[in-house]
């Protein structure tokens, strides 16, 4: 199984980025997908998750109204559209897959089935 995240980069505060995570080797539509982030010196934290179909989405309070998670099951890809970026959003962003959405939403890291390598997002002030 591979989860390949991409789309990170350097952006000014107020700007936008779209992250993508392409999955292979798993039955993508049978997995809830999530995004997490880890800022320097801080613990990894939950950002957003989407149910199998993408019909249900969940967000951390810190990103609600600014970030949107979506998925395309035909392309085995999950996205994170990030608008209104702030310097506090600077972090390495990771995608993750688990059959059970609450495992992602409640950051039960030990139980998450698959993690991707991260992509760095840097927001300058």
């Amino acid at each position: 199984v591979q989860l390949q995240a991409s789309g990170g980069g350097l952006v000014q505060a107020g700007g936008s980025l779209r992250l993508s995570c392409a999955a292979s080797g798993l039955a993508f539509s049978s997995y809830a997908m999530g995004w997490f982030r880890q800022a320097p010196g801080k613990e990894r934290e939950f950002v957003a998750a989407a149910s199998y179909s993408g019909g249900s989405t969940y967000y951390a309070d810190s990103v609600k109204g600014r970030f949107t998670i979506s998925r395309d099951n035909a392309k085995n890809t999950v996205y994170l559209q990030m608008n209104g970026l702030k310097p506090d959003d600077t972090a390495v962003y990771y995608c993750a897959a688990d059959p059970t959405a609450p495992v992602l939403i409640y950051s039960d890291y030990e139980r998450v089935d698959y993690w991707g390598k991260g992509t760095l997002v840097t927001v300058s002030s």
Side-chain angles (χ1 to χ4, degrees):
V1 173
Q2 284 194 333
L3 301 178
Q4 184 64 54
S6 61
L10 174 64
V11 63
Q12 287 189 333
S16 298
L17 281 175
R18 187 195 197 202
L19 305 184
S20 299
C21 175
S24 59
L26 78 169
F28 185 74
S29 60
S30 297
Y31 282 79
M33 297 297 297
W35 288 96
F36 294 78
R37 67 186 181 186
Q38 187 165 16
K42 295 187 178 181
E43 294 186 353
R44 189 173 299 191
E45 63 176 359
F46 168 75
V47 174
S51 62
Y52 309 134
S53 67
S56 296
T57 56
Y58 312 87
Y59 297 94
D61 287 344
S62 59
V63 307
K64 205 170 290 183
R66 299 188 298 123
F67 290 10
T68 303
I69 187 171
S70 62
R71 61 191 293 166
D72 185 336
N73 285 352
K75 295 183 178 180
N76 286 5
T77 300
V78 62
Y79 305 97
L80 186 68
Q81 178 67 43
M82 305 186 294
N83 299 329
L85 283 161
K86 306 174 182 179
D88 282 351
D89 295 318
T90 295
V92 177
Y93 283 71
Y94 300 89
C95 60
D98 195 88
T100 307
V103 168
L104 301 174
I105 297 165
Y106 297 111
S107 301
D108 193 350
Y109 299 133
E110 296 296 324
R111 292 180 56 192
V112 172
D113 271 13
Y114 303 111
W115 291 97
K117 293 182 180 179
T119 185
L120 176 62
V121 173
T122 303
V123 184
S124 64
S125 57

